[in-house]
Amino acid sequence: CVEALEVEVDMCDFETVHVGDVHFNNTLLRHLESERPLRIRGVFQRLEAHEVESTRSIWTREALLKASHSYGEFKIFRQKHGQKQTLSLTMAQYLEWMAAHDPLIDPQPDWLVDFSLPEGHPLVEAHTRVLERVLGQHYTQRLQEPLGLSNYQFMVGPVLTGASPHFHYASFRSMVFGRARWFLWPPARAFYSTRDIYDWFLSEYPMLSDEERPFECVQGPGEVLFVPSLWGHGVLYLEDTIGMASLFRS
């Protein structure tokens, strides 16, 4: 059933804007104020050439392996048959497991999702550097609001993993490597699912009525997705994926 995942790389049911677009700032502000989702492309173009290389280089497999000891352990999420578990592994241990993973044998693999990375962590700094350049004051002002940032969500996952449908306050999700298929519902139709996202996609997604069907969008490398507050969303990785999100409290 992996074939069922194949969609057009550019597919997106809501607006997409490129950072080089002359109307970029107006488009961004309009979506932030109206709480509408937005896909932002070309984010690395806001960085200097040497910054692009240094920013992307720390996310590579080689760099993550090299820094494994200093990074310590990460939270690994396991969801099988409706049961959830949390494990702790070093980056080297997880990447070794990931390299040996076969999605045809194990369609519900473990994926790394850690909410505990602090300010100043090299991965957090790389993520925020990009968002500050792309979003400017729209991002920094949110950080300074009374409720402000909730946490950073660092993610590394193999194909077929991802997040089951859920909702929370606003977030900006950057993709460094890989592709993900997003499913989004307006707040009035947001819901939680305890099913693994791939299981949900195979069993429940085909049965959705026209009224229940989500907005969909494929996020690729070098793109940021704005998910407004309380919009329901599920994420299914189409490839091995690395990224990070900033989650806010309002």
Side-chain angles (χ1 to χ4, degrees):
C1 295
V2 176
E3 291 81 2
L5 296 176
E6 290 305 313
V7 291
E8 292 293 329
V9 172
D10 289 334
M11 185 274 288
C12 199
D13 293 334
F14 46 85
E15 191 165 359
T16 296
V17 65
H18 193 281
V19 296
D21 192 306
V22 294
H23 302 295
F24 172 74
N25 288 326
N26 289 337
T27 301
L28 174 61
L29 182 60
R30 174 162 48 86
H31 282 76
L32 295 178
E33 291 182 340
S34 62
E35 293 285 328
R36 301 290 294 178
L38 179 68
R39 180 175 65 176
I40 303 171
R41 308 190 109 170
V43 298
F44 289 120
Q45 292 186 19
R46 286 294 175 92
L47 301 179
E48 299 292 336
H50 70 279
E51 291 179 310
V52 174
E53 179 60 28
S54 62
T55 299
R56 296 191 62 171
S57 63
I58 73 166
W59 299 86
T60 64
R61 174 182 172 81
E62 294 73 18
L64 291 172
L65 282 172
K66 184 177 180 179
S68 178
H69 179 71
S70 62
Y71 284 173
E73 293 187 333
F74 291 89
K75 298 296 182 183
I76 310 300
F77 186 69
R78 176 175 292 171
Q79 181 171 333
K80 297 183 185 296
H81 314 298
Q83 301 297 316
K84 298 180 180 180
Q85 289 181 274
T86 301
L87 314 173
S88 293
L89 295 175
T90 66
M91 182 61 70
Q93 290 171 326
Y94 181 72
L95 291 178
E96 180 181 3
W97 171 88
M98 190 173 170
H101 171 255
D102 185 342
L104 298 178
I105 297 175
D106 180 15
Q108 294 182 317
D110 303 342
W111 63 299
L112 187 157
V113 52
D114 199 304
F115 296 87
S116 63
L117 298 190
E119 294 283 356
H121 191 285
L123 296 171
V124 170
E125 288 188 339
H127 167 74
T128 56
R129 183 185 306 123
V130 172
L131 291 188
E132 288 174 357
R133 291 294 183 85
V134 172
L135 305 175
Q137 65 177 358
H138 304 300
Y139 182 73
T140 56
Q141 286 179 354
R142 281 185 180 247
L143 294 176
Q144 297 165 3
E145 290 176 356
L147 294 178
L149 184 79
S150 173
N151 53 60
Y152 297 103
Q153 184 186 64
F154 173 54
M155 295 153 285
V156 181
V159 62
L160 303 186
T161 58
S164 304
H166 64 290
F167 57 92
H168 47 67
Y169 289 117
S171 67
F172 295 95
R173 211 284 199 180
S174 61
M175 180 78 77
V176 184
F177 299 108
R179 286 192 306 146
R181 183 171 176 177
W182 286 76
F183 309 90
L184 292 96
W185 295 264
R189 293 196 284 120
F191 65 97
Y192 271 87
S193 174
T194 58
R195 277 189 157 173
D196 168 83
I197 184 62
Y198 186 51
D199 181 31
W200 174 87
F201 176 77
L202 294 178
S203 59
E204 296 188 26
Y205 174 81
M207 307 302 293
L208 297 176
S209 66
D210 290 343
E211 293 75 20
E212 296 170 323
R213 295 193 75 80
F215 294 95
E216 296 191 37
C217 191
V218 174
Q219 182 187 19
E223 297 179 354
V224 169
L225 204 72
F226 169 59
V227 181
S229 291
L230 304 181
W231 272 68
H233 54 283
V235 188
L236 181 56
Y237 296 158
L238 305 178
E239 302 171 358
D240 293 348
T241 299
I242 299 177
M244 185 175 286
S246 296
L247 280 67
F248 291 85
R249 294 191 179 94
S250 63

